Amino acid sequence: MTRTIARPLALAAFLFLGGCASMAPKYTQPAAPVPANWPNGPSYKAEPAAQKPLAEIPWQEFFVEPQLQKLIGLALDNNRDLKVAVLNMDRYRALYQIRRADLLPTVTGDGAFAVRKTADDLAQNGNGGVGHSYNVSVGISSYELDLFGRIRSLKDQALEQYLATEQARRSVQITLVSQVANAYLTLGSDLERLQLAKDTLANQQESYRLSKSRFEAGVSSALDLQQAQTSVDSARVDIARYTTLVAQDLNALVLVVGSDVPQELLPKSLTEALTAVKDVAPGLPSDVLLSRPDILQAEFNLKGANANIGAARAAFFPRIALTTSVGFGSDQLAGLFKGGNLAWSFAPSISVPIFEGGRNKANLEVAKVDRDIAVAQYEKAIQVAFREVADALAQRGTIDEQVAAQQSLTGATAETFRLSQARYQTGVDSYLNVLDAQRSLYAAQQNLITTRLARLNNMVTLYKVLGGGSK
């Protein structure tokens, strides 16, 4: 009896182990369609000494400002885009597990009990009656033997899709960390601009008061008084504008964080102690770009498309399915497991494609085109990443000079404004020269804030495009 039970199970195991590898073409990583080195020229400064790659520096070590660290932590816990990315990863992991389970036979255990009444005219002896039947069995139902690797290829494709979503989650986290930092800096810069506008308004109101006194005393003209009034009104316009921008900046920060932002975590102005890294050594493009999560995601998608070709090729070959069952049957429950009541079945089936109307050929062509599209998308991802890093390096090479020049310009315009005021008060110059100097100083101060913001944003951007922020 034991040998009888073992025969169909042994045959099923033999056929299961006889499955071949995938028919997918061998994967070869496409060559990176970018130069071997970063651009050089007047916009790029000499690369500093080698240091730890930014991609290996956790964001807690890069962003050293305590308030910003807490905001990034809140965003990682509450941001909905990151939550969706994590859920997508969980979904594709489950889909991969489903595909992997298709490689294994599904073994089921069944038990049944039936009662039936047979009519007298239908009974062999002319005496109908009530009959009972009992059966239990264990078997494999419609298991496809993966002799040509179709299921294995689909499993490989599902695995690559899951790995791609894992890299997508890392990309979302990198983007989220930089978004929080940029929103934090933008809010700080607009708060600084708002305070500058308020200080300017206070100064202009004092100048207007003095001009009015001089006008009433007959020392200055009505033109001077009206020019002073325009400066006051311009400052009031800027206060209203920057008040709106601050409110919108705060809304943007709340959105990216995903929750209310405590007041104590908001910036008061731009902070120069934002990051711990001042000089960046980008390394070689091949080392940096190919490890970026978005490029790894594109490569996993390419591998998945490559595996799908194997499934499309396997569709041209026969499919063999196996159904087996081993069990016992009896008309009495007490005699169900007696030796003579053993029952088994072994039912292999084969399906051979004869005429598909060109469907299999078209499916294979689609799979190949999908692979070619994935290759182009992978190469485009590398080119976009190269451009992002090159642009950030170009700005990094000149931004310090811009900040220094803008600081010098601001200092010079401040001195010009002081001298013009002194000349006006002594009656040497008209108030128009004071007004022009004041406008130049205000514009220089605003531009200095903008340039400092650009410098800090550039550091955040370099950290992002070089793959930092995923840890």
Side-chain angles (χ1 to χ4, degrees), residues 39-48 278-280 282 393-401 462:
N40 53 50
S43 296
Y44 304 89
K45 64 180 182 180
E47 185 172 314
K278 302 304 179 185
D279 292 320
V280 175
L393 290 175
Q395 186 181 27
R396 182 74 185 109
T398 58
I399 192 63
D400 288 338
E401 295 178 7
L462 271 174

Side-chain angles (χ1 to χ4, degrees), residues 8 42 81 87 116-117 150 156 174 200 223 266 268 282-283 309 330 337 348 365 377 379 400 442:
D81 289 335
L87 292 173
R116 62 182 177 273
K117 172 67 171 64
R150 186 184 74 88
D156 292 341
I174 288 174
T200 301
L223 178 60
L266 297 178
K268 302 298 186 293
I309 295 177
S330 174
F337 294 102
E365 183 64 23
Q377 291 173 335
E379 293 174 341
D400 288 338
Y442 182 67

Side-chain angles (χ1 to χ4, degrees), residues 405-427:
Q406 190 62 46
Q407 286 175 334
S408 177
L409 176 61
T410 303
T413 52
E415 181 63 16
T416 300
F417 176 61
R418 187 188 67 80
L419 292 175
S420 64
Q421 277 186 316
R423 290 171 64 86
Y424 170 71
Q425 291 171 357
T426 58

